[in-house]
Amino acid sequence: IVFFVSVNQILLLLLLLTVCAILYNKVHQVPSALKNEAVDLESPEEMEEEIPVVICAAAGRLGATVAAISSIYSNTEANVLFYIVGLKTTIPHIRKWIENSKLKEIKFKVVEFNPMVLKGKIRQDASRPELLQPLNFVRFYLPLLTQKHEKVIYLDDDIIVQGDIQELYDTKLAPGHAAAFSDDCDLPSTHEMVRSVGMQNTYMGFLDYRKQAIRDLGISPSTCSFNPGVIVANMTEWKHQRITKQLEKWMQRNVEENLYSSTLGGGVATSPMLIVFHGKYSAINPMWHIRHLGWSPDTRYSEHFLQEAKLLHWNGRYKPWDYPSIHTDLWENWFIPDPSGRFKLTRPDS
């Protein structure tokens, strides 16, 4: 009997101690929880969604990359993470440029692109050899460069962002779409520019319809093309649909069959995307991709129209860091001189 009384007393004591421990923890956890909440309130940036922006840093045009980043960073309060993609030879230069300028506050990762992934996939006879540079194909490999993100923005380097990049990031992608682009027929204001410089804005300008493989696609040559210099991409869909593999397949077929038109000279990088994404992409707001600023050194847009634009794109031969070019003041507003002095603007009086 004594034994059972002792055991009961011990069990009762243990029960009381357990209850006391629970009460103690509850009382002492309240200040801790309040403290954590206060930290969160004091540091809202910790809770902000990260906006990944992929942009290339190519030799000879690092000033373009810097100006683009400068314009994005200066016009947003969003939590932007820049993925700056370059070849091994250019990475030290762009890193020093950023770290020794007012851009040293940005969040960025420098990613080395291995051009060996393109071996055997590019024809060497395009009319514009500069479009065969390895970094022109970085957009094909977005999931490999930005592995932890669900949604990614890709931008060509010859752009200036005048709006808040958060707006572009918030572009809605329809279910099943891996990317959003700007349709080349989406903005009547650009139609006169297109006609005046004899540009193509249909699939006819990119694909060689004399080839059976192209005709077999069943895509009308008058179908409006899109410009892949600005992309909002869904990485889950991209990987699920094996977009990179599809793009590589159409690169490989071009090597073997010469399927792409040389009218624009940019077909090697753009044409595979036109095929793979035909009828399966969402639309970017037209004001978020005002382009063709590099197609002619003479044909200009109205200043009012350009002031309203959210993003300007100098696609074409005539770049705003070179001469001749147009609307260079809008680009130069965001340019940051190279601390090393190696990159210099080309101007009439230089």
Side-chain angles (χ1 to χ4, degrees):
I1 293 171
V2 173
F3 172 76
F4 282 113
V5 169
S6 299
V7 169
N8 286 338
Q9 286 176 338
I10 292 169
L11 288 173
L12 183 61
L13 180 61
L14 288 173
L15 181 62
L16 287 171
L17 288 172
T18 302
V19 170
C20 289
I22 291 170
L23 290 172
Y24 178 86
N25 283 337
K26 281 187 176 293
V27 169
H28 286 269
Q29 276 176 359
V30 173
S32 176
L34 289 175
K35 182 180 179 183
N36 288 338
E37 187 177 345
V39 169
D40 287 339
L41 290 172
E42 290 172 2
S43 307
E45 66 273 11
E46 297 295 326
M47 303 171 65
E48 286 178 354
E49 186 174 10
E50 206 167 53
I51 298 180
V53 175
V54 176
I55 191 164
C56 294
R61 44 196 290 162
L62 297 185
T65 308
V66 167
I69 292 172
S70 171
S71 70
I72 296 165
Y73 181 66
S74 301
N75 287 309
T76 189
E77 296 295 324
N79 181 21
V80 180
L81 171 61
F82 293 97
Y83 283 86
I84 302 171
V85 187
L87 301 181
K88 190 173 184 178
T89 52
T90 60
I91 285 174
H93 188 180
I94 192 69
R95 187 187 291 278
K96 285 184 180 178
W97 196 332
I98 290 171
E99 292 174 348
N100 290 284
S101 73
K102 63 183 182 182
L103 291 180
K104 61 177 179 271
E105 302 298 326
I106 70 170
K107 288 172 61 178
F108 73 101
K109 293 181 180 179
V110 175
V111 181
E112 181 182 341
F113 185 70
N114 184 356
M116 289 304 293
V117 300
L118 302 173
K119 188 175 181 181
K121 300 185 181 77
I122 305 175
R123 291 184 66 87
Q124 299 298 322
D125 55 355
S127 59
R128 290 178 62 190
E130 74 273 15
L131 294 173
L132 294 174
Q133 296 302 316
L135 295 181
N136 281 320
F137 302 91
V138 161
R139 70 199 91 186
F140 289 16
Y141 298 94
L142 294 178
L144 300 179
L145 303 168
T146 58
Q147 295 181 9
K148 67 173 185 173
H149 302 284
E150 167 69 12
K151 197 175 187 182
V152 172
I153 294 173
Y154 166 86
L155 300 173
D156 278 354
D157 61 359
D158 51 355
I159 61 99
I160 289 295
V161 172
Q162 300 185 137
D164 186 341
I165 198 72
Q166 180 76 55
E167 291 180 32
L168 182 60
Y169 185 75
D170 289 341
T171 298
K172 301 295 184 191
L173 273 67
H177 285 179
F181 304 99
S182 294
D183 196 296
D184 281 333
C185 306
D186 62 6
L187 206 59
S189 309
T190 66
H191 292 176
E192 185 179 341
M193 168 77 84
V194 169
R195 285 192 298 270
S196 66
V197 297
M199 254 188 301
Q200 292 281 346
N201 61 0
T202 67
Y203 274 56
M204 176 66 85
F206 294 89
L207 308 180
D208 187 347
Y209 278 84
R210 295 171 300 180
K211 301 296 172 65
Q212 188 62 44
I214 297 301
R215 294 198 299 274
D216 287 346
L217 291 169
I219 302 173
S220 168
S222 61
T223 301
C224 195
S225 53
F226 59 79
N227 186 297
V230 176
I231 307 172
V232 181
N234 179 315
M235 293 294 93
T236 300
E237 281 294 336
W238 192 292
K239 288 182 278 192
H240 175 69
Q241 297 179 33
R242 298 170 59 85
I243 296 294
T244 297
K245 288 293 183 187
Q246 290 189 59
L247 292 167
E248 288 185 323
K249 181 190 84 170
W250 283 103
M251 292 170 73
Q252 191 72 51
R253 287 199 66 174
N254 184 54
V255 171
E256 297 161 0
E257 303 173 51
N258 194 18
L259 301 174
Y260 305 146
S261 171
S262 60
T263 305
L264 294 180
V268 179
T270 300
S271 297
M273 301 199 86
L274 292 178
I275 293 171
V276 171
F277 285 101
H278 174 253
K280 294 187 295 184
Y281 66 91
S282 297
I284 289 173
N285 181 326
M287 296 306 287
W288 267 100
H289 196 178
I290 302 304
R291 47 205 179 278
H292 313 319
L293 276 73
W295 271 91
S296 167
D298 306 310
T299 308
R300 303 174 66 89
Y301 287 114
S302 78
E303 292 299 327
H304 174 73
F305 176 66
L306 294 182
Q307 292 295 338
E308 294 293 314
K310 304 286 190 177
L311 182 147
L312 305 175
H313 188 185
W314 278 263
N315 58 312
R317 297 175 185 268
Y318 302 99
K319 304 301 186 185
W321 55 90
D322 281 334
Y323 180 83
S325 54
I326 59 169
H327 303 297
T328 53
D329 55 322
L330 294 173
W331 182 87
E332 213 166 323
N333 282 339
W334 306 106
F335 174 68
I336 299 171
D338 182 0
S340 74
R342 282 183 280 170
F343 181 94
K344 293 181 174 64
L345 302 182
T346 304
R347 293 295 180 253
D349 52 353
S350 63

Short mmCIF file of all heavy atoms in Angstrom, two decimals, residues 39-79:
data_model
loop_
_atom_site.label_atom_id
_atom_site.label_comp_id
_atom_site.label_asym_id
_atom_site.label_seq_id
_atom_site.Cartn_x
_atom_site.Cartn_y
_atom_site.Cartn_z
N VAL A 39 9.86 43.32 -34.96
CA VAL A 39 10.97 43.25 -35.92
C VAL A 39 10.44 43.24 -37.34
O VAL A 39 10.93 43.93 -38.22
CB VAL A 39 11.83 41.99 -35.65
CG1 VAL A 39 12.81 41.77 -36.78
CG2 VAL A 39 12.57 42.15 -34.33
N ASP A 40 9.37 42.43 -37.58
CA ASP A 40 8.80 42.37 -38.91
C ASP A 40 8.24 43.71 -39.34
O ASP A 40 8.40 44.13 -40.48
CB ASP A 40 7.68 41.32 -38.95
CG ASP A 40 8.24 39.90 -38.91
OD1 ASP A 40 9.42 39.72 -39.24
OD2 ASP A 40 7.48 39.00 -38.55
N LEU A 41 7.61 44.42 -38.39
CA LEU A 41 7.03 45.71 -38.73
C LEU A 41 8.12 46.73 -39.03
O LEU A 41 7.95 47.61 -39.86
CB LEU A 41 6.15 46.22 -37.57
CG LEU A 41 4.84 45.45 -37.37
CD1 LEU A 41 4.15 45.91 -36.08
CD2 LEU A 41 3.91 45.65 -38.56
N GLU A 42 9.23 46.59 -38.34
CA GLU A 42 10.32 47.53 -38.56
C GLU A 42 11.09 47.23 -39.84
O GLU A 42 11.78 48.09 -40.35
CB GLU A 42 11.29 47.48 -37.37
CG GLU A 42 10.70 48.07 -36.10
CD GLU A 42 11.59 47.84 -34.90
OE1 GLU A 42 12.68 47.25 -35.07
OE2 GLU A 42 11.20 48.24 -33.79
N SER A 43 11.00 45.99 -40.34
CA SER A 43 11.77 45.60 -41.52
C SER A 43 10.87 45.01 -42.59
O SER A 43 10.96 43.82 -42.91
CB SER A 43 12.85 44.58 -41.12
OG SER A 43 13.62 45.06 -40.06
N PRO A 44 9.95 45.82 -43.19
CA PRO A 44 9.04 45.28 -44.19
C PRO A 44 9.74 44.75 -45.42
O PRO A 44 9.23 43.88 -46.12
CB PRO A 44 8.16 46.49 -44.55
CG PRO A 44 8.97 47.69 -44.16
CD PRO A 44 9.77 47.25 -42.98
N GLU A 45 10.98 45.25 -45.67
CA GLU A 45 11.68 44.77 -46.85
C GLU A 45 11.99 43.28 -46.78
O GLU A 45 12.16 42.62 -47.79
CB GLU A 45 12.96 45.58 -47.09
CG GLU A 45 14.04 45.42 -46.02
CD GLU A 45 13.86 46.38 -44.87
OE1 GLU A 45 12.81 47.04 -44.80
OE2 GLU A 45 14.79 46.50 -44.04
N GLU A 46 12.03 42.76 -45.51
CA GLU A 46 12.29 41.33 -45.36
C GLU A 46 11.14 40.49 -45.92
O GLU A 46 11.30 39.33 -46.24
CB GLU A 46 12.49 41.01 -43.87
CG GLU A 46 13.70 41.69 -43.23
CD GLU A 46 15.02 41.23 -43.82
OE1 GLU A 46 15.12 40.05 -44.19
OE2 GLU A 46 15.94 42.05 -43.91
N MET A 47 9.94 41.11 -45.99
CA MET A 47 8.76 40.38 -46.42
C MET A 47 8.43 40.63 -47.89
O MET A 47 7.56 40.00 -48.44
CB MET A 47 7.57 40.79 -45.55
CG MET A 47 7.81 40.57 -44.06
SD MET A 47 6.50 41.30 -43.05
CE MET A 47 5.10 40.29 -43.56
N GLU A 48 9.10 41.59 -48.51
CA GLU A 48 8.80 41.92 -49.89
C GLU A 48 9.19 40.78 -50.84
O GLU A 48 10.19 40.10 -50.64
CB GLU A 48 9.57 43.17 -50.32
CG GLU A 48 9.03 44.46 -49.73
CD GLU A 48 9.86 45.66 -50.15
OE1 GLU A 48 10.91 45.47 -50.79
OE2 GLU A 48 9.46 46.77 -49.82
N GLU A 49 8.38 40.62 -51.86
CA GLU A 49 8.72 39.63 -52.88
C GLU A 49 9.91 40.12 -53.68
O GLU A 49 9.99 41.28 -54.07
CB GLU A 49 7.52 39.41 -53.80
CG GLU A 49 7.73 38.29 -54.79
CD GLU A 49 6.49 37.99 -55.61
OE1 GLU A 49 5.52 38.77 -55.53
OE2 GLU A 49 6.49 36.99 -56.32
N GLU A 50 10.85 39.22 -53.93
CA GLU A 50 12.04 39.56 -54.69
C GLU A 50 11.70 39.55 -56.18
O GLU A 50 11.05 38.62 -56.66
CB GLU A 50 13.13 38.54 -54.39
CG GLU A 50 14.53 39.04 -54.58
CD GLU A 50 15.53 38.09 -53.95
OE1 GLU A 50 15.48 36.89 -54.27
OE2 GLU A 50 16.34 38.54 -53.14
N ILE A 51 12.11 40.58 -56.89
CA ILE A 51 11.87 40.65 -58.34
C ILE A 51 13.19 40.37 -59.05
O ILE A 51 14.10 41.20 -59.07
CB ILE A 51 11.33 42.04 -58.75
CG1 ILE A 51 9.99 42.31 -58.08
CG2 ILE A 51 11.22 42.13 -60.27
CD1 ILE A 51 9.38 43.66 -58.43
N PRO A 52 13.33 39.18 -59.64
CA PRO A 52 14.58 38.86 -60.35
C PRO A 52 14.57 39.44 -61.77
O PRO A 52 13.63 39.22 -62.53
CB PRO A 52 14.58 37.32 -60.38
CG PRO A 52 13.14 36.93 -60.27
CD PRO A 52 12.40 38.04 -59.60
N VAL A 53 15.61 40.18 -62.08
CA VAL A 53 15.76 40.78 -63.41
C VAL A 53 17.06 40.27 -64.02
O VAL A 53 18.14 40.50 -63.48
CB VAL A 53 15.77 42.32 -63.35
CG1 VAL A 53 16.06 42.91 -64.73
CG2 VAL A 53 14.45 42.85 -62.80
N VAL A 54 16.94 39.58 -65.15
CA VAL A 54 18.11 39.03 -65.84
C VAL A 54 18.51 40.00 -66.95
O VAL A 54 17.69 40.40 -67.78
CB VAL A 54 17.80 37.65 -66.46
CG1 VAL A 54 19.00 37.14 -67.27
CG2 VAL A 54 17.42 36.66 -65.37
N ILE A 55 19.79 40.38 -66.96
CA ILE A 55 20.29 41.29 -68.00
C ILE A 55 21.73 40.90 -68.31
O ILE A 55 22.48 40.49 -67.41
CB ILE A 55 20.18 42.76 -67.54
CG1 ILE A 55 20.45 43.71 -68.70
CG2 ILE A 55 21.07 43.05 -66.35
CD1 ILE A 55 19.99 45.14 -68.43
N CYS A 56 22.11 41.01 -69.57
CA CYS A 56 23.44 40.56 -69.98
C CYS A 56 24.46 41.70 -69.94
O CYS A 56 24.12 42.87 -70.08
CB CYS A 56 23.39 39.97 -71.39
SG CYS A 56 22.42 38.46 -71.47
N ALA A 57 25.70 41.32 -69.75
CA ALA A 57 26.82 42.26 -69.76
C ALA A 57 27.80 41.80 -70.83
O ALA A 57 28.65 40.95 -70.59
CB ALA A 57 27.49 42.31 -68.39
N ALA A 58 27.65 42.35 -72.03
CA ALA A 58 28.44 41.92 -73.17
C ALA A 58 29.65 42.84 -73.38
O ALA A 58 29.56 44.06 -73.16
CB ALA A 58 27.59 41.90 -74.44
N ALA A 59 30.74 42.27 -73.83
CA ALA A 59 31.95 43.05 -74.09
C ALA A 59 31.65 44.16 -75.09
O ALA A 59 30.94 43.95 -76.07
CB ALA A 59 33.05 42.14 -74.62
N GLY A 60 32.17 45.35 -74.85
CA GLY A 60 31.98 46.46 -75.76
C GLY A 60 30.71 47.25 -75.52
O GLY A 60 30.53 48.33 -76.10
N ARG A 61 29.79 46.72 -74.67
CA ARG A 61 28.54 47.43 -74.42
C ARG A 61 28.13 47.36 -72.95
O ARG A 61 26.94 47.36 -72.62
CB ARG A 61 27.43 46.92 -75.33
CG ARG A 61 27.33 45.42 -75.47
CD ARG A 61 26.49 45.03 -76.66
NE ARG A 61 25.08 45.29 -76.52
CZ ARG A 61 24.23 45.35 -77.54
NH1 ARG A 61 24.66 45.13 -78.78
NH2 ARG A 61 22.95 45.59 -77.34
N LEU A 62 29.12 47.28 -72.07
CA LEU A 62 28.83 47.23 -70.64
C LEU A 62 28.13 48.51 -70.16
O LEU A 62 27.37 48.48 -69.19
CB LEU A 62 30.12 47.01 -69.84
CG LEU A 62 30.86 45.69 -70.10
CD1 LEU A 62 32.04 45.55 -69.14
CD2 LEU A 62 29.93 44.50 -69.96
N GLY A 63 28.40 49.62 -70.86
CA GLY A 63 27.72 50.87 -70.50
C GLY A 63 26.22 50.77 -70.65
O GLY A 63 25.45 51.42 -69.91
N ALA A 64 25.77 49.94 -71.60
CA ALA A 64 24.34 49.73 -71.79
C ALA A 64 23.76 49.02 -70.59
O ALA A 64 22.69 49.39 -70.07
CB ALA A 64 24.10 48.91 -73.05
N THR A 65 24.45 47.99 -70.12
CA THR A 65 23.99 47.24 -68.95
C THR A 65 23.88 48.15 -67.73
O THR A 65 22.88 48.11 -67.00
CB THR A 65 24.98 46.09 -68.64
OG1 THR A 65 25.18 45.32 -69.83
CG2 THR A 65 24.47 45.21 -67.54
N VAL A 66 24.89 48.97 -67.53
CA VAL A 66 24.91 49.87 -66.38
C VAL A 66 23.76 50.88 -66.45
O VAL A 66 23.07 51.13 -65.45
CB VAL A 66 26.27 50.60 -66.30
CG1 VAL A 66 26.22 51.76 -65.33
CG2 VAL A 66 27.36 49.61 -65.89
N ALA A 67 23.54 51.45 -67.63
CA ALA A 67 22.45 52.44 -67.78
C ALA A 67 21.09 51.79 -67.55
O ALA A 67 20.21 52.37 -66.90
CB ALA A 67 22.50 53.07 -69.17
N ALA A 68 20.90 50.58 -68.05
CA ALA A 68 19.63 49.87 -67.86
C ALA A 68 19.39 49.60 -66.38
O ALA A 68 18.29 49.87 -65.85
CB ALA A 68 19.64 48.56 -68.65
N ILE A 69 20.40 49.09 -65.70
CA ILE A 69 20.27 48.81 -64.26
C ILE A 69 20.00 50.09 -63.48
O ILE A 69 19.14 50.13 -62.59
CB ILE A 69 21.54 48.11 -63.74
CG1 ILE A 69 21.65 46.70 -64.33
CG2 ILE A 69 21.55 48.06 -62.22
CD1 ILE A 69 22.95 46.00 -64.02
N SER A 70 20.73 51.15 -63.83
CA SER A 70 20.55 52.44 -63.16
C SER A 70 19.12 52.95 -63.29
O SER A 70 18.52 53.42 -62.32
CB SER A 70 21.53 53.45 -63.76
OG SER A 70 21.27 54.76 -63.30
N SER A 71 18.56 52.81 -64.49
CA SER A 71 17.19 53.31 -64.71
C SER A 71 16.17 52.49 -63.92
O SER A 71 15.21 53.03 -63.36
CB SER A 71 16.85 53.28 -66.21
OG SER A 71 16.70 51.95 -66.70
N ILE A 72 16.35 51.18 -63.86
CA ILE A 72 15.44 50.31 -63.11
C ILE A 72 15.51 50.63 -61.62
O ILE A 72 14.48 50.85 -60.95
CB ILE A 72 15.78 48.83 -63.34
CG1 ILE A 72 15.57 48.45 -64.81
CG2 ILE A 72 14.95 47.93 -62.43
CD1 ILE A 72 16.22 47.12 -65.20
N TYR A 73 16.71 50.66 -61.10
CA TYR A 73 16.94 50.87 -59.66
C TYR A 73 16.43 52.23 -59.19
O TYR A 73 15.88 52.36 -58.10
CB TYR A 73 18.44 50.73 -59.38
CG TYR A 73 18.81 50.89 -57.93
CD1 TYR A 73 18.39 49.97 -56.97
CD2 TYR A 73 19.60 51.96 -57.51
CE1 TYR A 73 18.74 50.10 -55.64
CE2 TYR A 73 19.96 52.11 -56.18
CZ TYR A 73 19.54 51.18 -55.24
OH TYR A 73 19.89 51.32 -53.92
N SER A 74 16.57 53.24 -60.05
CA SER A 74 16.20 54.60 -59.67
C SER A 74 14.70 54.86 -59.70
O SER A 74 14.23 55.84 -59.13
CB SER A 74 16.89 55.61 -60.61
OG SER A 74 18.29 55.48 -60.55
N ASN A 75 13.96 54.00 -60.37
CA ASN A 75 12.53 54.25 -60.57
C ASN A 75 11.61 53.28 -59.84
O ASN A 75 10.44 53.15 -60.18
CB ASN A 75 12.21 54.23 -62.07
CG ASN A 75 12.73 55.47 -62.78
OD1 ASN A 75 12.48 56.59 -62.36
ND2 ASN A 75 13.48 55.27 -63.85
N THR A 76 12.16 52.60 -58.83
CA THR A 76 11.33 51.65 -58.09
C THR A 76 11.73 51.59 -56.63
O THR A 76 12.88 51.87 -56.28
CB THR A 76 11.42 50.24 -58.69
OG1 THR A 76 10.43 49.40 -58.08
CG2 THR A 76 12.80 49.62 -58.49
N GLU A 77 10.78 51.23 -55.79
CA GLU A 77 11.05 50.92 -54.39
C GLU A 77 11.03 49.41 -54.17
O GLU A 77 11.18 48.93 -53.05
CB GLU A 77 9.99 51.57 -53.49
CG GLU A 77 9.98 53.10 -53.51
CD GLU A 77 11.26 53.70 -52.94
OE1 GLU A 77 11.80 53.12 -51.97
OE2 GLU A 77 11.74 54.72 -53.47
N ALA A 78 10.81 48.65 -55.26
CA ALA A 78 10.68 47.20 -55.15
C ALA A 78 12.02 46.55 -54.79
O ALA A 78 13.10 47.14 -54.95
CB ALA A 78 10.16 46.63 -56.47
N ASN A 79 11.92 45.32 -54.31
CA ASN A 79 13.09 44.55 -53.90
C ASN A 79 13.64 43.80 -55.12
O ASN A 79 13.30 42.64 -55.36
CB ASN A 79 12.67 43.58 -52.79
CG ASN A 79 13.83 42.73 -52.29
OD1 ASN A 79 14.99 43.08 -52.44
ND2 ASN A 79 13.51 41.59 -51.70
#
